[in-house]
């Protein structure tokens, strides 16, 4: 269905023939085209457990009548379930099962330029930045890739050392990805700076990739910058700002309806303040059910470089005597602690 964003009304409707189901879609501007094309991935008779289908298709639609109507251009058969689509230098990247393929626009169907089938399980996300491609696997976290036009190949040069079951992800910068997994964790992975420059010249990491050789692991590993257990499966992650000219932060949604934010602390003073406030609240205001806060936030991986804002917000609810004692440990007054918490909220809202 096509929805008019200004009036929130349905302006167009298209039924898929047979038992096709939409698995992914993206707006792509192919090289030489003046307008965007809607690319839709579909699967026929899809089964969730065990995962399978009777085939898939990649369909291209043109937007007609100022986006109120769709017109089919052509469709291309896929060998499995297409789960991720992304534009890349005037072409289309498609993640189908455990393979990543690069397609160009043809008159009757898409033209496959190259393909990499060395991903471990099932591709669920594809993002790009410059010449780099960030691939998310359903059971094996992130894979950093690079397309080399000289040999027309997609090379995997780095992956995560922890097998994470990805459900959502977004790129933060050229070397950093943030993701959520099905077990309720949110995390940040980063490529080390010294390796980042090295792979610009040789994405294979100095290894000679022979034809048809199956590479079991990437030559480089990503480092875990942040780990935090939310207790709820993350379904969507976006990098956004809610104020004109405001600071960007990470906004996430969970399967039970929670909307949360991760705000970067850019000064050492803020990091020290909130880290010590969290430490005091862990000791002096334990959970009423007896669970240990640090153990809960580290349920799957040790919590790292993340301060629990929800715990810090409980400062206003504890007894006045305890507030005064904690504020004294922080060399502040209770009013200054409250003001600091309010300032952080105002950075987002």
């Amino acid at each position: 269905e096509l929805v008019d964003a200004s009036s929130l009304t349905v302006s167009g409707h298209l039924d898929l023939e047979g038992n096709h189901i939409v698995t992914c879609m993206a707006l792509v501007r192919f090289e030489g085209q003046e307008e965007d094309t809607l690319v839709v991935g579909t699967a026929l008779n899809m089964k969730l457990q065990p995962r399978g289908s009777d085939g898939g298709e990649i369909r291209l639609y043109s937007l007609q009548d100022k986006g109120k109507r769709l017109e089919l251009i052509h469709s291309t058969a896929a060998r499995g379930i297409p789960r991720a689509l992304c534009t890349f230098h005037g072409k289309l990247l498609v993640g189908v099962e455990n393979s990543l393929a690069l397609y160009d626009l043809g008159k009757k169907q898409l033209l496959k330029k190259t393909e990499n089938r060395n991903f471990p399980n099932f591709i669920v996300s594809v993002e790009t930045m410059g010449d780099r491609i960030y691939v998310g696997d359903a059971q094996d976290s992130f894979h950093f890739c690079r397309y080399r036009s000289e040999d027309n190949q997609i090379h995997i040069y780095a992956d995560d050392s922890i097998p994470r079951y990805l459900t959502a992800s977004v790129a933060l910068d050229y070397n950093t990805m943030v993701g959520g997994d099905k077990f309720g964790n949110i995390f940040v992975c980063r490529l080390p700076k010294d390796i980042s420059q090295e792979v610009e010249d040789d994405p294979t990491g100095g290894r000679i990739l022979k034809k048809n050789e199956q590479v079991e692991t990437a030559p480089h590993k990503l480092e875990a910058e942040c780990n935090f257990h939310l207790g709820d499966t993350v379904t969507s992650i976006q990098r956004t700002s809610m104020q004109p000219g405001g600071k960007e932060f990470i906004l996430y949604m969970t399967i039970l309806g929670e909307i949360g934010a991760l705000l970067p602390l850019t000064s050492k003073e803020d990091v020290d303040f909130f880290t010590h406030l969290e430490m005091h609240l862990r000791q002096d205001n334990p959970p009423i059910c007896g669970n240990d806060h640090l153990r809960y936030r580290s349920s799957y991986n040790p919590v790292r470089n993340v301060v629990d804002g929800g715990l810090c917000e409980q400062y206003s609810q504890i007894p006045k005597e305890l507030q005064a004692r904690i504020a004294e440990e922080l060399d502040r007054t209770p009013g200054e602690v409250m003001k600091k918490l309010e300032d952080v909220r105002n950075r987002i809202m």
Side-chain angles (χ1 to χ4, degrees):
E1 292 184 347
L2 297 175
V3 179
D4 188 347
S6 59
S7 61
L8 297 180
T9 58
V10 178
S11 59
H13 182 83
L14 182 66
D15 292 323
L16 299 178
E17 69 279 359
N19 196 24
H20 281 273
I21 182 174
V22 175
T23 56
C24 56
M25 62 177 63
L27 282 174
V28 178
R29 182 166 296 186
F30 289 97
E31 186 175 359
Q33 300 291 314
E34 297 181 355
E35 296 182 353
D36 291 337
T37 301
L38 178 63
V39 183
V40 180
T42 66
L44 178 62
N45 299 326
M46 180 176 172
K47 299 187 293 272
L48 295 179
Q49 185 64 32
R51 183 174 56 235
S53 69
D54 293 336
E57 288 185 354
I58 306 167
R59 305 185 180 202
L60 272 62
Y61 294 93
S62 62
L63 302 175
Q64 305 293 329
D65 299 337
K66 298 182 180 180
K68 295 182 179 180
R69 184 171 59 88
L70 294 178
E71 181 178 324
L72 179 65
I73 300 174
H74 57 63
S75 63
T76 304
R79 66 180 183 87
I81 302 172
R83 186 62 180 83
L85 302 170
C86 186
T87 182
F88 181 72
H89 296 337
K91 297 179 176 60
L92 175 67
L93 283 169
V94 182
V96 180
E97 302 286 346
N98 68 331
S99 68
L100 180 67
L102 181 66
Y103 287 91
D104 201 355
L105 181 63
K107 291 185 177 180
K108 295 186 177 181
Q109 65 176 15
L110 292 172
L111 307 176
K112 184 183 293 185
K113 295 298 182 181
T114 185
E115 185 178 22
N116 187 324
R117 296 189 178 185
N118 292 332
F119 295 93
N121 296 291
F122 187 79
I123 295 175
V124 294
S125 68
V126 177
E127 294 191 53
T128 63
M129 191 176 295
D131 289 332
R132 294 190 179 182
I133 305 169
Y134 311 99
V135 179
D137 188 90
Q139 299 178 10
D140 207 11
S141 192
F142 294 118
H143 294 72
F144 282 28
C145 313
R146 189 164 183 261
Y147 172 70
R148 286 177 58 93
S149 57
E150 295 84 356
D151 54 5
N152 191 33
Q153 289 188 19
I154 299 173
H155 296 283
I156 304 174
Y157 61 84
D159 60 9
D160 197 354
S161 58
I162 302 175
R164 307 179 192 265
Y165 285 57
L166 278 184
T167 55
S169 64
V170 70
L172 295 183
D173 58 39
Y174 207 48
N175 297 319
T176 313
M177 292 289 293
V178 57
D181 65 22
K182 64 182 291 187
F183 301 112
N185 301 299
I186 194 165
F187 58 93
V188 176
C189 291
R190 176 172 292 165
L191 185 70
K193 289 183 179 180
D194 55 336
I195 297 177
S196 179
Q197 184 58 43
E198 179 183 341
V199 299
E200 289 297 318
D201 303 323
D202 182 12
T204 65
R207 297 185 179 185
I208 300 176
L209 296 181
K210 298 180 181 180
K211 187 176 181 180
N212 296 331
E213 182 182 9
Q214 295 293 327
V215 181
E216 295 182 357
T217 183
H220 304 294
K221 293 297 178 182
L222 304 176
E223 295 180 348
E225 292 295 325
C226 302
N227 285 313
F228 191 72
H229 179 67
L230 295 172
D232 196 2
T233 303
V234 178
T235 57
S236 179
I237 301 178
Q238 295 292 329
R239 193 181 69 180
T240 184
S241 173
M242 298 185 68
Q243 298 177 359
K247 180 182 292 187
E248 283 192 331
F249 61 91
I250 300 169
L251 188 70
Y252 66 85
M253 276 71 62
T254 68
I255 197 169
L256 295 180
E258 177 187 350
I259 300 177
L262 297 174
L263 180 71
L265 299 177
T266 55
S267 68
K268 189 175 186 300
E269 178 188 355
D270 286 346
V271 174
D272 290 341
F273 172 80
F274 286 107
T275 301
H276 285 88
L277 177 60
E278 181 189 38
M279 179 187 67
H280 286 296
L281 288 171
R282 279 175 180 165
Q283 297 173 354
D284 300 330
N285 187 38
I288 60 175
C289 292
N291 195 6
D292 182 74
H293 177 268
L294 182 61
R295 181 176 59 191
Y296 175 72
R297 294 304 185 189
S298 306
S299 294
Y300 288 84
N301 298 288
V303 62
R304 176 181 173 87
N305 294 335
V306 180
V307 177
D308 189 350
L311 179 62
C312 293
E313 288 288 349
Q314 294 180 14
Y315 178 82
S316 61
Q317 303 171 9
I318 61 178
K320 298 295 183 182
E321 299 79 11
L322 188 55
Q323 287 184 8
R325 183 157 61 84
I326 293 177
E328 184 180 357
E329 294 287 341
L330 299 174
D331 294 328
R332 296 173 186 261
T333 65
E336 290 174 340
V337 176
M338 299 278 198
K339 183 66 167 59
K340 194 74 172 178
L341 292 170
E342 184 180 357
D343 289 343
V344 171
R345 287 196 300 269
N346 291 337
R347 294 182 196 176
I348 298 175
M349 302 302 293

